Amino acid sequence: MPQLISATRWLFVLVSISSVALAENNPSFGEPGADGTLTLSWEQLMPADYVPVWDPVAPLPTAPVIEELNGKIVRLPGYVIPLKFDGLLVKEFLLVPYFGACIHVPPPPSNQVVYVILDKEQELGGLFATVWVTGQMQTQVKTTEYAESGYTIAASLVEPFDY
């Protein structure tokens, strides 16, 4: 049992460090912009009372999402895991909160994985490029070869994240 608790804490330490590192240059993190876009942190994608039980052998069950985010225009930073691409041009990808997520098992909980669909192919900078994604969020489960996502974003804008 201590290993499960330790592993869970380690996962959340990684997520927290990544989220803080990504958010550190944005003083309005978590506040709606002038255009009404809601800039989110990864923690805001999990219900306050949600505590995942991490087991390195068993797959994670579908994690609860924040239903109020359904249909909202959001902005979220993260790391790219390309799914549908042609050379360097990406059409669909997973957005994850920390470097290495989904490639190394187990993947994060589904409420910490976002499936992103671009309206046209775009060069994003390769595997684990760091980007800001802006678009309409849906609380829609998608299963991929790497992970299950609890959210989907139809991206209107994907731009590099500058440290």
Side-chain angles (χ1 to χ4, degrees):
M1 186 69 161
Q3 286 182 331
L4 291 179
I5 294 170
S6 175
T8 301
R9 286 186 182 162
W10 180 246
L11 174 65
F12 281 104
V13 165
L14 285 174
V15 171
S16 297
I17 288 170
S18 295
S19 295
V20 169
L22 290 172
E24 140 179 308
N25 293 329
N26 185 358
S28 64
F29 202 72
E31 299 173 12
D35 62 355
T37 299
L38 180 62
T39 300
L40 298 173
S41 70
W42 285 93
E43 291 81 15
Q44 291 172 305
L45 300 182
M46 296 186 294
D49 60 349
Y50 172 68
V51 179
V53 176
W54 187 75
D55 182 338
V57 179
L60 291 170
T62 300
V65 296
I66 306 295
E67 291 295 337
E68 292 80 15
L69 293 174
N70 196 39
K72 300 282 187 196
I73 303 300
V74 301
R75 183 173 187 241
L76 182 68
Y79 296 89
V80 172
I81 299 174
L83 295 173
K84 292 188 180 178
F85 54 92
D86 182 13
L88 297 175
L89 297 174
V90 177
K91 179 72 173 160
E92 296 179 11
F93 63 93
L94 294 178
L95 188 69
V96 295
Y98 56 90
F99 184 84
C102 297
I103 299 297
H104 306 291
V105 288
S110 58
N111 60 15
Q112 294 295 285
V113 179
V114 177
Y115 192 91
V116 179
I117 303 167
L118 300 166
D119 58 353
K120 63 179 180 176
E121 294 178 326
Q122 182 177 341
E123 189 172 333
L124 300 177
L127 183 63
F128 292 119
T130 311
V131 297
W132 281 104
V133 174
T134 303
Q136 185 175 36
M137 179 172 273
Q138 300 295 319
T139 52
Q140 176 183 13
V141 174
K142 294 280 266 188
T143 302
T144 72
E145 64 184 288
Y146 297 112
E148 184 175 274
S149 66
Y151 297 97
T152 299
I153 294 178
S156 56
L157 178 65
V158 177
E159 55 192 338
F161 182 92
D162 294 323
Y163 291 96

